[in-house]
């Protein structure tokens, strides 16, 4: 979603429904460079749509300058402290984790994935819609935990919360 | 000012300061010390769902069935991941962990080459990856190809064959599945000792082979001992005895493990109890002569054998002497030891109350728990039986509430609850506990305990729920009726199954019984009516599909989403909930008392239209309540209908009904005439006594 906002394509798609996703591959370079709406854009700060009806979550509405004031980071780790270890690896792991969750929990996550690293553990959390049966949700939990810990060689744990539907996370219309 | 300075100087001067400072000595702690310290703070808490479940209202299971379903689906997710990991193993070899963690790697895939030209390393690899039968095949091949195999490798393979009964060992289950293993694995549910040793299996073949080649004494000792313990482990006592005799003849010493297995399986070797004890003492004498120091397992095995001698008079005395012996050897009894002792002292449901051994054991255990630094360790396999046995005997034999609660409190402290190994044992434990409490204890004490455990730790079975309802109805705790309804809903007892129907019926009976007994507050009447409405909503009188066909147009039909269609299909598969006259009348009572005429009238109409198929007619009380309500709300025609029904059913209350309507002022002449004809036609005498205006 952040990427989406960065490109500020909201002006073009105000007719679309709320589209909360983490896909980085959205539009071609051509659109990026030639669109009129790209004038005076800021990263992760969308312009108003013409009808002001594009839904934003709380996290999206709090623009980057508010990080640390009204919202926190999406990933928690100590690699960027002084003498922190595995700086680059942590970032690439995070990217991978987000991609994995985006594909495996397809259209289930309605918030950004929060990645917390505690001791040697990685804890993934976020908001999930109740569109599938708890049984299938637990299957996904077991599957994700096992396969991610095998890939990253560290215990991965999922701690999700559920919301009734996507509309529940809308904070404002932009 | 000066005074202040002076004071300050004086105070520092008087405090005797040591001139040199020594750092406190560094304590050497284990790398996991901090985790252990954290663990000691944690307690079993009924307020949260178990650790394997997500802490989220949508994802927390409450009924036992749900818990099982969700835990197993998580386990199957893990298995699916394991399959992927093994299938696409090349993607999982990137190793960043130091030290590397073997269980996060895909399992080893063997090359064909390794099997074609086998050697010792292949054998070791196969053994490490639990492929014992394949290892034996390769071993054979090695012998054929004249490849040298060291004797250590041979004997390791032979040991594994004996330990696993010439089979590949079972894969370790994920913890979620492990909890339900008793339900999942059909084998050996009864707990009987059956002979499971494989005749002429790989182990026996290899034994015969190695017997010829074994030269040194040590090799022979190892060979015979592992074979004998394998035989004893899988309950083939006859053959084991011949092997042991052979060992004695050839002067091969028996080691501790074999002795332990032998002591454990004496009950299938000797018949009479005296002979068994004789045999035990012989074994112990042998051990003493060969100067083998017994361990915890030895003593537990002896007690296990003693336990098998049920109703043996000497049993308790011998058990105590064994305990004493343990003390002398400096071995601390584990939970398993106590579990056996309990079973020895209480051999059946009647005997053993006088000995008061269980409270003494609890005293002893609590002391042991204190001195062990507030934790117990798993020391023996039998430890898993303790809490189940203790609770079983405390409730069945002792019938002692305080003792049962004490055991339960002990279970809840620290991480003691891990000594209940699987779901089945846990169910039995809590069933025993609550059965006793419901029978003997006061509600003020039971209910908090119930609430602390249900539903997160324990989901009661239907029998326990029925006991609870019985308990509530005998004590007549009005406050708990509505709570009970939500409990029933939460634990999944309100559905269409045959058993659960019984529960709904009983529950409604309960509500109605209290209705007559005393005057309820308005709130309670309202709540009860709401419960009735919920039942009606859950189990509609007319199946839903029929209603839908009446309401929906063609256009709307197309719009019904796939999900709804699926839901409908699912519903069609389920049988329709069958109402009986009893249920209907109970519902009418509840609704009529809350002045809900429409709902109760629709129930009444449903009864009339299905009179022929329904079991049991409506009862008097419901009809009278409905009648008085209809009079109150001025539905005279309907009231007359009800009176006709009462007349048809020949109920005694007809006279009251006539009287009730008669007293009503605004009756038209036609109505009065109708009343009179009803009176004439009725066969009841009491009805004729009522004077109609």
């Amino acid at each position: 979603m952040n990427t989406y906002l960065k490109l500020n394509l909201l002006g073009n798609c105000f007719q679309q429904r709320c589209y909360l996703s983490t896909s980085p591959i959205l539009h071609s370079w051509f659109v990026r460079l030639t669109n009129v709406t790209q004038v005076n854009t800021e990263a992760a700060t969308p312009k108003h749509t013409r009808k002001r009806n594009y839904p934003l979550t709380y996290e999206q509405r709090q623009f980057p300058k508010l990080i640390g004031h009204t919202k926190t980071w999406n990933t928690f780790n100590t690699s960027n402290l002084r003498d922190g270890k595995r700086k680059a690896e942590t970032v690439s792991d995070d990217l991978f984790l987000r991609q994995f969750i985006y594909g495996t929990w397809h259209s289930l996550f309605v918030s950004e994935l929060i990645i917390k690293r505690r001791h040697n553990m990685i804890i993934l959390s976020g908001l999930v819609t109740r569109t599938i049966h708890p049984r299938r949700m637990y299957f996904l939990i077991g599957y994700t935990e096992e396969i991610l810990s095998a890939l990253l060689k560290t215990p991965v744990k999922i701690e999700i919360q559920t919301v009734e539907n996507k509309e529940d996370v809308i904070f404002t219309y932009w | 000012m000066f005074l202040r300075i002076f004071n300050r100087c004086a105070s520092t001067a008087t405090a005797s300061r040591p001139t040199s400072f020594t750092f406190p000595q560094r304590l050497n702690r284990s790398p996991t010390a901090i985790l252990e310290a954290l663990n000691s703070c944690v307690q079993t808490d009924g307020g949260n769902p178990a650790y394997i479940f997500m802490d989220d209202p949508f994802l927390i299971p409450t009924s036992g069935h749900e818990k099982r379903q969700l835990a197993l689906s998580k386990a199957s997710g893990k298995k699916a991941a394991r399959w992927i990991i093994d299938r696409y193993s090349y993607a999982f070899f990137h190793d960043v962990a130091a030290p590397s963690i073997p269980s996060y790697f895909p399992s080893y895939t063997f090359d064909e080459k390794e099997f074609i030209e086998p050697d010792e390393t292949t054998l070791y690899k196969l053994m490490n990856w639990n492929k014992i039968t394949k290892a034996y095949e390769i071993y054979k091949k090695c012998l054929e190809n004249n490849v040298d195999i060291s004797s250590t490798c041979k004997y390791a393979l032979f040991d594994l064959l004996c330990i696993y009964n010439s089979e590949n060992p079972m894969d370790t289950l994920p913890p979620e599945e492990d909890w339900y293993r008793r339900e999942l694995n059909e084998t050996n549910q009864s707990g009987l000792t059956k002979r499971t040793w494989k005749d002429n299996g790989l182990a026996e073949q290899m034994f015969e082979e190695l017997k010829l080649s074994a030269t040194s004494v040590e090799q022979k000792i190892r060979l015979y001992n592992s074979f004998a313990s394998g035989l004893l482990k899988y309950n083939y006592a006859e053959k084991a005895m011949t092997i042991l005799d052979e060992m004695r003849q050839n002067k091969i010493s028996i080691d501790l493990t074999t002795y332990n297995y032998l002591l454990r399986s004496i009950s299938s070797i000797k018949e009479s109890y005296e002979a068994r004890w004789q045999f035990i003492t012989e074994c112990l004498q042998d051990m003493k002569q060969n100067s083998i120091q017994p361990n915890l397992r030895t003593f537990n095995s002896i007690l296990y054998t003693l336990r098998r001698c049920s109703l043996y008079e000497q049993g308790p005395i011998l058990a105590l002497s064994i305990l004493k012996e343990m003390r002398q050897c400096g071995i601390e009894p584990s939970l398993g030891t106590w579990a056996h002792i309990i079973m020895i002292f209480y051999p059946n449901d009647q005997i053993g109350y006088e000995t008061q051994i269980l409270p003494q054991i609890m005293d002893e255990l609590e002391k042991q728990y204190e001195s062990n630094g507030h934790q117990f360790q798993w020391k023996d396999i039998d430890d898993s039986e303790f809490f189940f046995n203790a609770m079983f005997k405390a409730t069945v034999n002792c019938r002692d509430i305080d003792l049962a609660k004490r055991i339960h409190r002990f279970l809840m402290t620290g991480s003691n609850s891990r000594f209940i190994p699987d779901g089945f044992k846990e169910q039995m434990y809590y069933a025993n506990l609550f059965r006793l409490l419901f029978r003997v204890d006061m509600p003020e004490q039971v209910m908090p305990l119930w609430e602390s455990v249900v539903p997160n730790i324990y989901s009661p079975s239907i029998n326990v729920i029925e006991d609870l309802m019985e308990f509530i109805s005998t004590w007549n705790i009005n406050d708990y009726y509505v709570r009970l309804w939500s409990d029933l809903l939460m634990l999944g007892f309100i559905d269409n199954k045959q058993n659960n129907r019984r529960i709904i019926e009983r529950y409604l009976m309960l509500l109605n019984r209290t209705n007559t007994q005393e005057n309820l507050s308005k709130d309670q009447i309202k709540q009860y009516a709401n419960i009735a409405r919920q039942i009606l909503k859950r189990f509609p009188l007319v199946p839903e599909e029929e209603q839908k066909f009446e309401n929906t147009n063609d256009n709307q039909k197309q719009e019904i989403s796939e999900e709804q269609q699926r839901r409908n299909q699912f519903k069609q598969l389920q049988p329709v909930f069958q109402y009986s006259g009893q249920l209907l009348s109970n519902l009418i009572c509840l609704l009529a008392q809350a002045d809900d005429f429409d709902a109760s009238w629709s129930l009444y109409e449903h009864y009339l239209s299905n009179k022929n198929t329904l079991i049991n007619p409506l009862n008097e009380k419901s009809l009278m309540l409905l009648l008085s309500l209809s009079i109150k709300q001025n539905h005279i025609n309907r009231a007359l209908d009800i009176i006709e029904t009462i007349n048809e059913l020949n109920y005694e209350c007809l006279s009251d009904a006539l009287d009730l309507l008669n007293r009503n002022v605004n009756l038209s002449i036609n109505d009065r005439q109708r009343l009179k004809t009803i009176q004439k036609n009725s066969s009841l005498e009491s009805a004729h006594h009522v004077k109609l205006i």
Side-chain angles (χ1 to χ4, degrees), chain A residues 130 132 134-135 137-139 141-143 145-147 149-155 157-158 160-162, chain B residues 51 53-56 58-59 69-70 73-74 76-78 80-82 84-85 92 94 96-97 101 104-105:
Chain A
R130 294 177 186 171
I132 60 172
R135 233 178 3 228
M137 202 106 64
Y138 272 101
F139 177 87
I141 290 168
Y143 174 78
E145 282 181 359
E146 186 77 9
I147 212 162
S149 38
L151 275 168
L152 305 174
K153 310 291 177 213
T154 152
K157 191 165 158 34
I158 290 189
I160 48 174
Q161 296 289 301
T162 55
Chain B
Y51 186 68
F53 300 119
M54 291 289 121
D55 194 359
D56 178 84
F58 180 65
L59 297 174
Q69 207 178 36
L70 296 188
S73 53
K74 192 172 176 187
S76 81
K78 282 192 175 175
R82 270 281 120 194
I84 294 273
I85 292 164
F92 294 87
H94 172 62
V96 282
I101 305 158
Y104 286 150
F105 280 91

Side-chain angles (χ1 to χ4, degrees), chain B residues 211-225:
Chain B
K211 208 159 103 179
L212 303 175
S213 64
T215 45
S216 70
V217 186
E218 278 152 33
Q219 279 179 350
K220 270 188 182 167
I221 290 175
R222 185 166 175 187
L223 179 70
Y224 275 90
N225 273 318

Side-chain angles (χ1 to χ4, degrees), chain B residues 349-381:
Chain B
D349 291 356
Q350 281 83 38
I351 299 173
Y353 175 68
E354 305 81 37
T355 52
Q356 290 290 337
I357 193 78
L358 200 47
Q360 288 172 39
I361 288 176
M362 286 312 291
D363 286 339
E364 188 66 27
L365 265 180
E366 271 161 16
K367 239 185 273 166
Q368 210 176 315
Y369 184 74
E370 289 284 321
S371 62
N372 272 358
H374 293 278
Q375 59 178 358
F376 273 127
Q377 232 107 61
W378 271 95
K379 288 180 190 158
D380 197 51
I381 312 171

